[in-house]
């Protein structure tokens, strides 16, 4: 499983765009990149998943450069309720064994 | 919207006692997982389960742990003889099809306190 590296924490203000970058230098050909969000005392929640280029949904965008050695989660116009821990995960969607490894995550703190 | 449920929300037990944590995954999901999160630390994978058998397990999931799908709806985690260091939040998750990073739906967790 590819190891991921993310900033430990980030601060932002309401209404700003937040970009969280994750490094995964050893990503394999079959690996996808997935981001989860976790609020205190709750289970993680899926945000977005992608393989290459750009993926966008109603919550976030995920930018993946051509070499796929990093990815950036973009949260548009954050609000106080986006204060959470964000996890970047890398893994093969097609393997029968699925050992999902969460890293330390990035703690985002949104201020008023 | 379907969701994963877990019971109890909080379990307090004495060291050495057995505990069973229960989960009801989303009904059409086939893949089930247990994770734990010690207070202030990261989410740790324990085990994944498919087709009535363990698919993967971590180093944490030793002989003190077992999982079972006793009927068509429940998925349980048993800790045979709890230790103080088993105190943590335990999350159950389920997903619809085979992949390590397909969307997993997490339950609200069971907070286990071992005294």
């Amino acid at each position: 499983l590819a190891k991921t590296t993310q900033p430990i924490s980030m601060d932002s203000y309401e209404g700003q765009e937040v970009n969280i970058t994750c490094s995964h230098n050893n990503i394999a050909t079959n690996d996808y990149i997935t981001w989860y969000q976790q609020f205190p005392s709750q289970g993680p929640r899926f945000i977005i998943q992608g393989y290459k280029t750009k993926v966008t949904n109603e919550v976030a965008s995920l930018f993946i450069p051509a070499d796929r050695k990093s990815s950036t989660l973009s949260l548009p116009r954050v609000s106080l309720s986006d204060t959470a821990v964000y996890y970047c995960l890398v893994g093969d969607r097609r393997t029968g064994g699925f050992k999902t490894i969460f890293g330390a995550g990035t703690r985002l703190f949104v201020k008023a | 919207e379907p969701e994963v449920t877990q019971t109890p929300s909080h379990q307090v037990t004495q060291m050495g006692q057995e505990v069973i944590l229960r989960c009801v995954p989303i009904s059409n999901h086939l893949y089930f997982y247990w994770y734990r999160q010690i207070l202030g630390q990261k989410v740790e994978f324990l085990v994944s389960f498919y087709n009535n058998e363990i698919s993967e397990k971590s180093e944490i999931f030793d002989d003190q742990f077992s999982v079972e799908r006793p009927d068509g709806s429940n998925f349980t985690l048993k800790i045979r003889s709890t230790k103080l260091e088993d105190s943590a939040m335990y999350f159950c998750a389920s997903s619809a099809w085979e992949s390590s990073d397909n969307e997993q739906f997490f339950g609200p967790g069971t907070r286990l306190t071992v005294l």
Side-chain angles (χ1 to χ4, degrees):
Chain A
L1 292 166
K3 181 175 160 52
T4 60
T5 304
Q6 305 173 232
I8 293 173
S9 65
M10 294 180 71
D11 288 345
S12 182
Y13 288 92
E14 280 191 292
Q16 288 189 332
E17 178 184 81
V18 170
N19 296 308
I20 306 174
T21 296
C22 178
S23 297
H24 28 80
N25 290 317
N26 296 323
I27 190 167
T29 303
N30 296 330
D31 285 345
Y32 280 68
I33 300 149
T34 310
W35 286 80
Y36 280 82
Q37 173 192 56
Q38 187 182 27
F39 297 115
S41 298
Q42 294 186 27
R45 187 176 70 130
F46 175 93
I47 302 174
I48 198 166
Q49 183 179 81
Y51 183 80
K52 61 180 179 181
T53 63
K54 177 184 173 183
V55 179
T56 297
N57 61 21
E58 64 277 6
V59 175
S61 294
L62 179 59
F63 298 91
I64 306 168
D67 68 4
R68 303 197 330 120
K69 293 183 184 300
S70 67
S71 58
T72 299
L73 175 73
S74 182
L75 305 172
R77 297 180 298 283
V78 294
S79 63
L80 296 177
S81 61
D82 291 317
T83 293
V85 180
Y86 292 82
Y87 298 97
C88 164
L89 287 76
V90 172
D92 186 344
R93 290 180 71 185
R94 298 181 299 169
T95 57
F98 19 91
K99 188 174 179 179
T100 306
I101 304 299
F102 284 79
T106 297
R107 190 172 298 275
L108 173 66
F109 186 66
V110 180
K111 296 180 270 193
Chain B
E1 186 177 319
E3 57 183 19
V4 176
T5 59
Q6 292 185 241
T7 54
S9 57
H10 191 186
Q11 173 94 46
V12 181
T13 190
Q14 295 289 326
M15 191 169 58
Q17 295 296 305
E18 174 183 286
V19 295
I20 297 176
L21 309 182
R22 302 179 193 280
C23 168
V24 179
I26 294 173
S27 63
N28 63 341
H29 284 184
L30 300 176
Y31 300 83
F32 315 113
Y33 316 80
W34 282 101
Y35 297 83
R36 79 172 186 193
Q37 186 172 34
I38 296 169
L39 186 64
Q41 298 187 23
K42 65 182 182 181
V43 176
E44 298 177 291
F45 171 84
L46 292 178
V47 66
S48 57
F49 190 87
Y50 167 69
N51 200 26
N52 282 320
E53 59 183 29
I54 290 173
S55 298
E56 293 272 3
K57 59 183 181 178
S58 71
E59 308 75 43
I60 303 168
F61 194 89
D62 61 20
D63 292 343
Q64 293 298 312
F65 292 87
S66 62
V67 289
E68 193 179 27
R69 188 151 161 84
D71 53 42
S73 60
N74 291 285
F75 180 49
T76 62
L77 174 70
K78 182 193 290 186
I79 308 175
R80 288 190 182 79
S81 177
T82 50
K83 309 189 212 35
L84 295 176
E85 54 265 36
D86 293 327
S87 294
M89 196 77 160
Y90 287 80
F91 294 107
C92 171
S94 68
S95 65
W97 55 285
E98 63 175 3
S99 96
S100 62
D101 285 315
N102 191 40
E103 180 175 356
Q104 293 182 29
F105 293 80
F106 284 75
T110 293
R111 182 170 299 285
L112 176 65
T113 301
V114 182
L115 303 175

